[in-house]
Amino acid sequence: YIVAYGPVSDFTKNSYSAIFKVLLIIIAAIATAAVILLFSAKSSAREFKLMVVNCNEIAQGDFTKEVKDGSTKEAAELAEGFNNIIVDLSTLIKGIRNAANDIGNITKNLSEASDVIGQSVETTNCSVENVAQSVQTQIRSVDKIDQSVTEIITQINNLKSEISRRMAKIIEED
């Protein structure tokens, strides 16, 4: 029940004025909230756009960048996650570079060792060739000695035969 004193027209006039003031306050509050939300959304969007720019730089291989913490809890958590990924990727890439350098050094050492082995094999081949030539020279010398010994034996046999023949002749003459 509404109880009012006085003419209804006064009540209606006052109520319209009060309703108008309340509506005006509500509209002003909605407009203010909309402006605040708009600026807040733009600020959040700016933070996320900056994160996207930083992430693109990181994706291009620049691990010196750090994603800045945002003003919101979600943006701060996202930035922290990206920064952890950056540290992990940076460590991983350093490990890969170190492994590549180690492999390069090992390859260089193997190449140098291969060169040394190649030189050793070449020296060994020369030595084997020299030994083979020496053996052939010795074989030729042994062949010459064999021929000389064979000639000496032949001459000794000839002398033996001559001595035997002369002895037989002397024995016959006596």
Side-chain angles (χ1 to χ4, degrees):
Y1 298 104
I2 298 177
V3 178
Y5 294 106
V8 175
S9 64
D10 287 344
F11 176 72
T12 307
K13 202 189 254 184
N14 284 338
S15 67
Y16 283 140
S17 174
I19 291 173
F20 180 73
K21 287 179 185 176
V22 169
L23 283 176
L24 192 61
I25 291 172
I26 291 173
I27 290 172
I30 290 173
T32 304
V35 168
I36 291 172
L37 286 174
L38 180 66
F39 283 120
S40 176
K42 281 189 177 184
S43 175
S44 292
R46 191 177 320 115
E47 289 176 9
F48 285 106
K49 285 180 183 177
L50 182 60
M51 281 185 192
V52 169
V53 169
N54 287 341
C55 288
N56 286 334
E57 290 172 350
I58 293 164
Q60 296 298 320
D62 185 3
F63 295 108
T64 60
K65 296 291 180 183
E66 184 174 303
V67 179
K68 293 178 179 53
D69 289 347
S71 60
T72 64
K73 179 182 174 187
E74 293 80 10
E77 288 175 358
L78 187 60
E80 182 181 351
F82 279 128
N83 289 332
N84 290 339
I85 289 172
I86 293 168
V87 169
D88 292 345
L89 285 175
S90 180
T91 302
L92 180 64
I93 288 173
K94 283 178 186 175
I96 290 170
R97 283 186 181 144
N98 289 340
N101 287 338
D102 291 346
I103 289 171
N105 290 337
I106 289 169
T107 302
K108 181 182 174 187
N109 291 341
L110 285 174
S111 176
E112 291 171 357
S114 175
D115 290 343
V116 169
I117 289 170
Q119 291 170 354
S120 296
V121 167
E122 191 174 314
T123 302
T124 302
N125 283 340
C126 288
S127 297
V128 167
E129 286 178 18
N130 289 339
V131 168
Q133 289 174 354
S134 295
V135 166
Q136 287 184 357
T137 303
Q138 289 176 359
I139 288 172
R140 283 191 294 270
S141 296
V142 167
D143 285 345
K144 287 181 182 178
I145 292 171
D146 182 50
Q147 289 173 355
S148 297
V149 167
T150 303
E151 283 180 28
I152 291 172
I153 290 173
T154 304
Q155 288 177 0
I156 288 174
N157 285 337
N158 289 341
L159 281 175
K160 182 179 166 189
S161 295
E162 184 65 32
I163 291 174
S164 293
R165 192 177 53 82
R166 284 190 183 180
M167 279 192 57
K169 196 177 185 187
I170 292 178
I171 293 178
E172 278 181 19
E173 288 178 1
D174 280 337

